[in-house]
Amino acid sequence: MRIALVCDWYLPRIGGIESYLRDLARALLAHGHEPEVITATPGAPIIDGVTVHRLPLPRLPGWDVIFAPRTVERVRELLATGNFDLVHGHSLYSPLAHVTMMLAWRMGIPSVLSSHSLLRPAGVLGFDLCNGLAGWARWPGELTAVSSLAAAEARVASGRERVHVLPNGIDAPPAIAALDASHGRAPTVISVMRLTRRKQPLELLRALSRIDALVPERRRPRLIVVGDGPLFGELERLAQRLGLRDRVDLVGAVPRLEARKLLARADVFALPTVKEAFGIAVLEARAAGLPVVAMRTSGAADLVEHEKEGLLADGPHDFAACLARLLTDEPLRAKLARASRRGLEPFSWERVLARHLEIYALALGRGRVAKAA
């Protein structure tokens, strides 16, 4: 199949959706399909052997999304000349994805739209209103979301009963020797995320401060934060104000292999984000054999069972308490670490790609019925 993967955001921009799209394109290409990417992000015209159509149009500052009336005309040209069998749009917050869904619907091209973010609470109401005014939910042939929580919100926002769960995938990481936490060093907590308000990176530092009152001094952890974004400077300033600067390492954005090395040398993975639809970093942490502390009300709850692969917290103070528990209870930490590496087969790219192709087949079938009618 010739498949157009569409999203405002793509490499070289760094983030979860960008990494997922690259991996999906590579997996499709490796299995004999012809993926092409349509995006608003400037960069190289070919990445990993995949053609990338980068629309040279104005973008909305701060959001990095296309913001130009000519978008419709330009995308129509790409769809008309691309001979695509299917269009797969990504993110309900991507205007480019919505424009492409609308045009694919009008041009009779089968389509799938995937939600990668949590919408609640205002987002659900906003998309519900947009659906009433513009009928966006009827444009894609199939609607998917990356977790059960995201799918539930997409059902309300779209008015559709059928929203498929279509998770992200993970490659098997290379074997990286982990360090033994018992060799006299301070334990290490690590987190990998974009440093934005939605991800709540400041909660990592507040948790670190709370932990100090809950654990012996020798168990007070170091914190490594991997990632970049607009809150980088604010994290530095807050660490200074809390007296934690000498225990916090803000390493910025790093290549995936380097991030995996850092994960393998840590003791606990922490993700304080509440509005997390999935959490590819959680899968990377589990593959590295780390117990995970995440929020119970986030999409990460699809990836971690409480007291099996990690601990799920019910709020900021409980988040700190869960971290403190793992830092002081070495047998529990070791048990969760062993379990964390298991059960990742459903998220292997072989399985995840097969699920994508199942959804694509449904969209293609729906398209054939529409043409016959």
Side-chain angles (χ1 to χ4, degrees):
M1 289 186 288
R2 284 184 52 76
I3 302 165
L5 305 176
V6 186
C7 185
D8 277 278
W9 311 289
Y10 194 58
L11 303 176
R13 193 177 186 270
I14 296 175
I17 194 168
E18 295 87 350
S19 297
Y20 154 78
L21 283 170
R22 176 197 55 199
D23 290 346
L24 174 58
R26 291 172 63 183
L28 287 167
L29 190 64
H31 284 75
H33 300 286
E34 298 179 47
E36 295 188 5
V37 175
I38 301 174
T39 185
T41 305
I46 297 178
I47 293 181
D48 296 328
V50 175
T51 297
V52 184
H53 302 278
R54 301 183 185 272
L55 305 184
L57 298 170
R59 291 179 294 155
L60 191 63
W63 289 84
D64 288 336
V65 298
I66 269 186
F67 188 65
R70 287 180 296 150
T71 304
V72 173
E73 177 186 349
R74 187 70 185 94
V75 174
R76 184 186 288 112
E77 291 174 357
L78 285 172
L79 295 183
T81 60
N83 195 30
F84 295 110
D85 298 296
L86 181 132
V87 174
H88 189 177
H90 297 270
S91 179
L92 299 190
Y93 288 110
S94 170
L96 179 58
H98 285 287
V99 167
T100 309
M101 290 297 99
M102 177 191 69
L103 290 171
W105 174 63
R106 289 178 176 176
M107 297 168 72
I109 304 173
S111 60
V112 176
L113 178 60
S114 292
S115 175
H116 292 260
S117 303
L118 296 184
L119 309 175
R120 58 183 181 180
V124 173
L125 295 175
F127 278 105
D128 181 52
L129 178 61
C130 289
N131 194 30
L133 294 173
W136 68 267
R138 74 180 186 273
W139 298 339
E142 297 295 335
L143 187 59
T144 79
V146 292
S147 66
S148 57
L149 185 58
E153 292 183 353
R155 288 186 189 99
V156 176
S158 66
R160 288 190 176 198
E161 290 188 12
R162 187 164 82 171
V163 177
H164 310 275
V165 175
L166 185 61
N168 294 344
I170 183 174
D171 291 319
I176 298 171
L179 296 183
D180 188 339
S182 66
H183 286 174
R185 65 182 179 90
T188 300
V189 175
I190 190 170
S191 191
V192 181
M193 64 168 71
R194 275 185 59 79
L195 305 183
T196 63
R197 295 284 175 197
R198 184 176 64 84
K199 294 290 187 176
Q200 298 179 281
L202 299 178
E203 288 302 321
L204 289 167
L205 300 185
R206 297 185 182 112
L208 189 65
S209 182
R210 293 180 182 119
I211 286 169
D212 285 356
L214 301 174
V215 303
E217 185 172 353
R218 65 183 180 82
R219 303 310 298 165
R220 290 179 179 176
R222 296 188 59 81
L223 173 66
I224 297 175
V225 182
V226 180
D228 204 351
L231 294 189
F232 191 96
E234 193 167 341
L235 253 70
E236 288 185 311
R237 292 188 290 273
L238 180 59
Q240 195 70 41
R241 287 200 303 272
L242 294 175
L244 300 170
R245 195 64 192 89
D246 61 337
R247 291 166 50 201
V248 176
D249 188 4
L250 305 177
V251 302
V254 300
R256 179 178 287 183
L257 180 58
E258 184 61 30
R260 285 172 167 173
K261 288 179 180 178
L262 291 169
L263 286 167
R265 286 154 175 75
D267 301 292
V268 178
F269 180 84
L271 187 68
T273 312
V274 174
K275 295 181 180 180
E276 183 68 66
F278 185 76
I280 192 69
V282 172
L283 285 185
E284 293 277 7
R286 284 192 53 192
L290 290 184
V292 173
V293 176
M295 303 305 290
R296 190 184 302 275
T297 54
S298 77
D302 273 11
L303 311 176
V304 176
E305 184 178 340
H306 184 61
E307 298 204 351
K308 182 178 179 183
E309 298 93 8
L311 301 176
L312 297 175
D314 292 312
H317 290 274
D318 191 35
F319 182 75
C322 287
L323 284 170
R325 182 182 171 193
L326 285 185
L327 293 169
T328 55
D329 190 338
E330 292 193 22
L332 174 63
R333 191 170 72 241
K335 183 186 81 168
L336 299 184
R338 288 192 298 272
S340 202
R341 284 195 176 94
R342 305 188 195 113
L344 292 174
E345 293 82 6
F347 304 103
S348 69
W349 263 110
E350 182 179 357
R351 295 273 290 274
V352 170
L353 180 62
R355 179 63 175 150
H356 277 72
L357 295 177
E358 288 175 6
I359 303 300
Y360 291 172
L362 290 174
L364 290 165
R366 184 187 288 248
R368 283 191 288 269
V369 170
K371 284 183 180 180

